[in-house]
Amino acid sequence: MRKLSKKNIKIGILGGTFDPPHIGHLYISKIAIKKLELNKLIWAITKKNPLKKGPYFKIKTRIKLSKKITNKEKKIFVHYFDDKIKSTNTFNLLNYIKRKQKKAKLYFLIGADNLIKFHKWKNWKKIPKLAKIVVFPRDNHLIRKNKYIVLKRLKKKDLIYINSKKVNISSSLIRKF
């Protein structure tokens, strides 16, 4: 990962299996870059989501497809960190990036659907100490405080809600076809 030398650098991280990557990933990436004024956005592709069954596509295929879909985007970079950090969890990923980019302000992008199980993520309460959690709308996921454990336990300042159109696409929907 190339270090950036600016003082007030802003880095977004979109983590996941990208099984497969799609225009929804690209759409929220572009929105995040614009609205948060990010200097760069990392697609952190993981081998496996610990809360889901194994991926459909091999990791090399997902990396290749991700690079292809982002090849015209100057601020989006595709990386695979699992082997470097010896982990697939978000906390370890953010810790690693923070060590490499000490002065950077980190933003971790998720869809509203991820709020449901966020409290099951390893070290989930510590994630906001490393990065702001940026939440994008998803179909059928209204953000209600009493519905999500994470919203009851985290501070309002830890979360940023992005108001954008909902992209009705997901990797699981694509795999069904």
Side-chain angles (χ1 to χ4, degrees):
M1 188 172 75
R2 187 174 56 97
K3 277 190 178 182
L4 298 170
S5 59
K6 292 180 188 172
K7 260 192 174 179
N8 298 317
I9 193 88
K10 292 179 170 184
I11 300 173
I13 297 108
L14 178 60
T17 54
F18 294 85
D19 188 31
H22 54 73
I23 57 166
H25 295 127
L26 191 59
Y27 174 76
I28 67 167
S29 297
K30 288 179 177 182
I31 295 290
I33 289 167
K34 185 176 179 181
K35 288 195 176 192
L36 300 169
E37 299 175 343
L38 300 176
N39 299 90
K40 80 187 244 184
L41 190 135
I42 300 167
W43 280 20
I45 301 174
T46 188
K47 203 175 279 183
K48 184 189 179 321
N49 179 330
L51 300 178
K52 293 181 180 177
K53 65 179 185 161
Y56 182 81
F57 291 102
K58 290 183 178 2
I59 186 69
K60 285 183 180 180
T61 302
R62 291 182 278 133
I63 291 168
K64 184 178 171 184
L65 291 171
S66 295
K67 286 182 177 181
K68 187 175 181 178
I69 199 172
T70 61
N71 71 349
K72 291 184 178 145
E73 304 303 323
K74 291 181 176 98
K75 291 188 175 187
I76 300 175
F77 301 87
V78 175
H79 288 286
Y80 173 70
F81 294 98
D82 292 6
D83 291 344
K84 279 183 189 160
I85 64 173
K86 308 283 186 262
S87 173
T88 61
N89 77 60
T90 300
F91 178 76
N92 290 349
L93 168 68
L94 294 173
N95 235 343
Y96 176 81
I97 294 170
K98 193 67 174 170
R99 279 196 316 271
K100 295 285 182 191
Q101 300 281 345
K102 288 179 177 54
K103 295 185 185 218
K105 187 165 186 174
L106 303 182
Y107 297 84
F108 186 69
L109 283 53
I110 64 171
D113 55 320
N114 280 304
L115 290 176
I116 295 168
K117 292 184 180 179
F118 194 82
H119 66 282
K120 294 182 179 183
W121 293 20
K122 187 173 181 180
N123 295 318
W124 68 276
K125 289 179 184 174
K126 295 179 182 178
I127 290 173
K129 290 174 177 59
L130 298 170
K132 289 273 189 196
I133 300 165
V134 182
V135 183
F136 282 85
R138 290 292 302 264
D139 273 350
N140 303 322
H141 291 281
L142 298 171
I143 299 170
R144 293 193 183 111
K145 194 168 185 145
N146 60 355
K147 186 177 176 184
Y148 302 105
I149 293 169
V150 67
L151 297 181
K152 294 176 189 176
R153 304 262 165 66
L154 295 182
K155 296 178 180 115
K156 220 177 193 177
K157 69 176 179 70
D158 295 333
L159 300 152
I160 297 172
Y161 298 97
I162 299 291
N163 193 6
S164 67
K165 81 174 189 180
K166 296 173 191 161
V167 180
N168 192 16
I169 190 166
S170 69
S171 295
S172 54
L173 185 65
I174 291 169
R175 287 191 308 270
K176 286 180 184 176
F177 291 102

